Amino acid sequence: MKRLYKSIVPALLSFVIYVVYTGSLRLYDIVTGVLVSVVVGVLTSNLLIEDWRKSLSLRRFASLVRFALRYFFIDEVKSHLLLIRLSLSPKLDLRPAIVKMPIKTRNDYGITLVSLAITNTPGTVVVDLNKEKGNIYVHWIYAKTTSPEESYKEVSEVFDKYALKIFD
Amino acid sequence: MLRDLVFASLLVIIILALTYLTYSGGLGDLPPRDVRVIASNYLNLTYNQGITWLWAASPEAVTAIVWDYRGLDTLFETVVFYGAILAALTLFRSVSKVPEFVSSAGLSLVVKRVTAIVTLAILAVAASTALHGHLTPGGGFQGGAIASVAPLLLLVVFGKQFFIERRISYSKLLTIRNASLALLGFTSVALLILGFLTGFQAYIFQNQAKTVSTLSYPPYLLDVPLGGSLFFFNLFEFLAVASGFTLVFTILLSRDETLRKELEGEELGY
């Protein structure tokens, strides 16, 4: 029974991917899509989901959508603009450094979200992480500070707050 | 610098010479610009609702050719593929049966979480490719090849331990593969058996009804053309290929010492 609850979100995700990849919504696509997503959902449920209650929470899903919108339209744009300014400035004023930042989320998905969000924005790359101590090590092309707390506020706090809301 | 220039001009001369040769027909006849007779026959018949005694009930001409018009050929191709995997399994027969208890931590947790999500996507895409083989480009083999990337990723990212913990064993995979190959064979003779039982005439590899034989796989399912046996061939080929590749991956990703044990005694000549 628990496995069935766990399979709901993977099955829904798999159905969406199936229909988008197929590119049509005939009855045949929907029927085979439902059958395939049930099988794929059950197969991958233990791999993907730890706590099914969390996976079915609409509040968490809403935070994920809010995060996606904010990330792609605000954070990405901001850091792209910063990097354009850096690379177009004639004296190429760089201050590269690898900075340690403590993050609060301890969930695997949360850490993944924070690391990928930081890496995907231009100018910052997560090079290593330590789950037990909750530290990530970020290569920063224009390090405004090297103190862990301040750089946490500067780079990862936004993502960390959302990761806590979505996954923890 | 001079060497580079000479090399570059030589390359250009060779390419130009080959182009000239090809276009002037020096390397064999040029392909005709119009559609050849055999191709136009296939294109005209595959999904021709007016000539249903010659059609394959599938708008995908390639799948119709591969699994209907020259289905016997494809069955033997599948047998060759089956034989190749069988040879690989025989070569490492003792490795395959003993579950290996290696403790590997796998890759970092970011890679693990992303792989988990990607695995789901790969399986959904593979299933769509296989189940739409009679409608759009793709098919059983392609779908199976896509699906087998998922276990390969899991083996590398989570370690072999992952499969052992989830009891995805050698014999289970082998059973899936053998069963799907048996069903593949059964699909090709199902109408023949039905013909024997009911007293009608039927052929090996018959898909749709012919003028002398009224037995037929269903041409439509729900609101799309089904292609009759093409759907079943694609489905079973998908399962056979996915499980066959997975079997080989699990063996090839064994530890070096285990694999080397197979070759012990080679220097003594037995």
Side-chain angles (χ1 to χ4, degrees), chain B residues 189-213:
Chain B
V189 292
L191 285 189
L192 192 70
I193 294 172
L194 192 68
F196 270 129
L197 295 178
T198 53
F200 284 103
Q201 197 173 354
Y203 302 103
I204 293 181
F205 261 94
Q206 184 171 353
N207 177 3
Q208 296 301 308
K210 305 287 173 238
T211 33
V212 288
S213 154

Side-chain angles (χ1 to χ4, degrees), chain B residues 151-230:
Chain B
L152 179 62
L153 272 180
L154 290 176
L155 276 170
V156 173
V157 172
F158 287 85
K160 212 177 170 185
Q161 199 68 25
F162 179 82
F163 269 35
I164 297 163
E165 278 164 12
R166 277 167 177 70
R167 296 201 193 85
I168 306 172
S169 65
Y170 177 81
S171 54
K172 271 183 202 164
L173 287 168
L174 202 65
T175 311
I176 295 176
R177 196 187 72 128
N178 289 347
S180 23
L181 275 160
L183 286 167
L184 204 76
F186 178 73
T187 309
S188 64
V189 292
L191 285 189
L192 192 70
I193 294 172
L194 192 68
F196 270 129
L197 295 178
T198 53
F200 284 103
Q201 197 173 354
Y203 302 103
I204 293 181
F205 261 94
Q206 184 171 353
N207 177 3
Q208 296 301 308
K210 305 287 173 238
T211 33
V212 288
S213 154
T214 48
L215 294 175
S216 171
Y217 276 100
Y220 295 100
L221 178 71
L222 302 171
D223 55 348
V224 296
L226 185 68
S229 56
L230 304 185

Side-chain angles (χ1 to χ4, degrees), chain A residues 115-129:
Chain A
S115 321
L116 292 186
I118 291 174
T119 302
N120 210 33
T121 49
T124 44
V125 178
V126 175
V127 288
D128 200 5
L129 57 88

Side-chain angles (χ1 to χ4, degrees), chain A residues 2 10 52 56 64 76 80 84 110 114 119 134 150 163:
Chain A
K2 222 174 100 190
W52 63 269
L56 287 174
L64 182 65
E76 277 281 348
H80 270 91
I84 291 169
V114 173
T119 302
E150 276 172 51

